[in-house]
């Protein structure tokens, strides 16, 4: 299946045969307002077509260096009921988690809500509006990506049986405002992904023997454990997790430090998910 957009019309081709043109301005859609995703924006083209049983196109909304919304166009005969809303939301959650896997993306004070629904095939009101209010967060820089990159991130999925569990877990971490709590939850997810016995030593071994050798540009450091009468080294993620988890008041960890480590732990977590099957 190939999708191409010409003006406000979309042509769907399958094995060389052209179907009728679809007027995207008449298609049902759900528009989401998003807060708290920074570090990545689209270049000139903000829309991309996808292969999906419900969705035909997604349009990115952005202000400055942040993604502030998504307009999700559905197939022209779709009726948006509660089940469809839930299905589309799960698809968008997966897409946003995939974006979060990009090492340039930061998430802070994240929220997502429906701003507007256009439902022309419904017997009820065609338009639904929300009073969702989004306050823009600060961002100093962002990478610019082609629409094809966002298309790839929409269609990408963790190659394992636990995908239905992993995506909701990762999305739930995005919604945690307290960066310290988010970090501790991310570490627990990492424990579940890279260990057999649920031990911190296995995390440290994984970073040392698997992650660091494969990621020369994003190395995780090591430092001597603070446990009494012990001389081994812990990776930075584990070391700082223990400072937070044990409530160590002698060596406080700054919010900015944990925010950086939260980004690093997401890098390790995402790497482990995509390399687990290999």
């Amino acid at each position: 299946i190939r999708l191409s957009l010409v003006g406000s019309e979309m042509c769907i081709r399958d094995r060389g045969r052209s179907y009728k043109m679809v007027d995207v301005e008449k298609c049902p859609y759900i528009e989401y307002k998003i807060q708290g995703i920074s570090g990545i924006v689209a270049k000139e083209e903000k829309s991309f077509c996808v292969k999906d049983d419900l969705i035909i196109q997604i349009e990115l909304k952005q202000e400055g260096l942040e993604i502030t919304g998504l307009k999700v166009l559905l197939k022209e005969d779709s009726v948006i009921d509660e089940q469809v809303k839930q299905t589309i939301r799960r698809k968008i959650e997966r897409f946003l988690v995939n974006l979060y896997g990009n090492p340039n993306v930061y998430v802070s004070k994240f929220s997502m809500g429906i701003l507007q629904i256009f439902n022309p095939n419904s017997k009820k009101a065609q338009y639904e509006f929300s009073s969702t209010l989004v306050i823009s967060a600060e961002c100093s820089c962002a990478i610019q990506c082609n629409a094809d990159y966002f298309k790839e991130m929409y269609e990408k999925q963790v190659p394992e049986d636990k995908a239905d569990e992993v995506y909701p877990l990762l999305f739930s971490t995005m919604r945690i405002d307290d960066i310290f709590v988010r970090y501790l939850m991310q570490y627990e997810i990492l424990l579940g992904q890279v260990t057999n016995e649920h031990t911190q030593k296995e995390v440290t071994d994984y970073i040392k023997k698997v992650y660091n050798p494969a990621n020369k540009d994003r190395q995780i450091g090591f430092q001597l454990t603070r446990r009494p009468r012990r001389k081994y080294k812990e990776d930075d993620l584990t070391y700082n997790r223990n400072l937070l988890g044990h409530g160590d008041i002698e060596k406080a960890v700054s919010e900015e430090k944990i925010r950086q480590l939260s980004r690093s732990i997401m890098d390790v977590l995402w790497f482990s998910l995509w390399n687990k099957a290999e």
Side-chain angles (χ1 to χ4, degrees), residues 155-181:
E155 296 176 349
K156 193 172 186 176
Q157 181 159 317
V158 172
E160 62 167 56
D161 295 337
K162 291 185 177 180
D164 289 341
E165 299 177 16
V166 171
Y167 279 109
L169 278 175
L170 293 177
F171 187 76
S172 67
T173 67
M174 296 173 63
R175 302 179 66 178
I176 299 174
D177 289 341
D178 189 319
I179 192 61
F180 298 100
V181 176

Side-chain angles (χ1 to χ4, degrees), residues 18-148:
S18 293
Y19 293 109
K20 65 177 182 178
M21 300 293 287
V22 176
D23 188 345
V24 296
E25 293 184 354
K26 296 181 180 179
C27 288
Y29 66 77
I30 301 177
E31 185 173 350
Y32 295 92
K33 196 72 175 175
I34 295 173
Q35 171 185 337
I37 296 181
S38 61
I40 187 170
V41 292
K43 291 184 178 179
E44 293 82 3
E45 183 59 52
K46 305 297 188 296
S47 302
F48 56 94
C49 301
V50 298
K51 298 177 182 178
D52 192 272
D53 55 343
L54 287 172
I55 301 171
I56 58 174
Q57 177 183 291
I58 297 175
E59 179 183 349
L60 295 167
K61 306 288 186 178
Q62 56 192 50
E63 295 177 8
L65 303 176
E66 300 169 21
I67 294 175
T68 58
L70 295 170
K71 185 176 181 180
V72 183
L73 270 68
L74 309 185
K75 293 183 177 179
E76 58 182 339
D77 58 351
S78 300
V79 176
I80 304 174
D81 55 20
E82 289 303 316
Q83 183 176 353
V84 169
K85 288 181 188 178
Q86 293 177 12
T87 300
I88 298 301
R89 183 179 177 89
R90 286 194 296 270
K91 292 173 184 286
I92 296 305
E93 288 178 0
R94 185 189 68 196
F95 170 58
L96 295 178
V97 169
N98 285 342
L99 286 184
Y100 193 18
N102 185 301
N104 296 285
V105 173
Y106 280 84
V107 174
S108 177
K109 298 181 180 178
F110 173 81
S111 67
M112 182 179 84
I114 292 176
L115 181 64
Q116 178 176 301
I117 294 176
F118 176 50
N119 202 7
N121 301 316
S122 173
K123 295 180 180 179
K124 300 179 181 179
Q126 287 192 351
Y127 284 95
E128 297 178 36
F129 298 91
S130 169
S131 59
T132 301
L133 174 64
V134 172
I135 302 173
S136 180
E138 294 183 358
C139 178
S140 59
C141 62
I143 62 168
Q144 291 187 328
C145 298
N146 292 320
D148 286 345

Side-chain angles (χ1 to χ4, degrees), residues 180 223 226 239-258 261:
F180 298 100
Q223 48 192 311
R226 300 185 77 247
Y239 181 89
N240 286 279
R241 181 260 170 237
N242 289 335
L243 286 180
L244 294 178
H246 299 159
D248 194 322
I249 61 175
E250 295 180 4
K251 190 171 183 179
V253 188
S254 70
E255 180 176 339
E256 181 57 31
K257 175 69 172 178
I258 292 301
L261 290 170

Side-chain angles (χ1 to χ4, degrees), residues 229-241:
R229 298 179 296 279
R230 301 293 180 90
K231 299 299 181 182
Y232 62 87
K233 288 186 176 182
E234 296 174 328
D235 64 274
D236 285 345
L237 304 181
T238 299
Y239 181 89
N240 286 279
R241 181 260 170 237

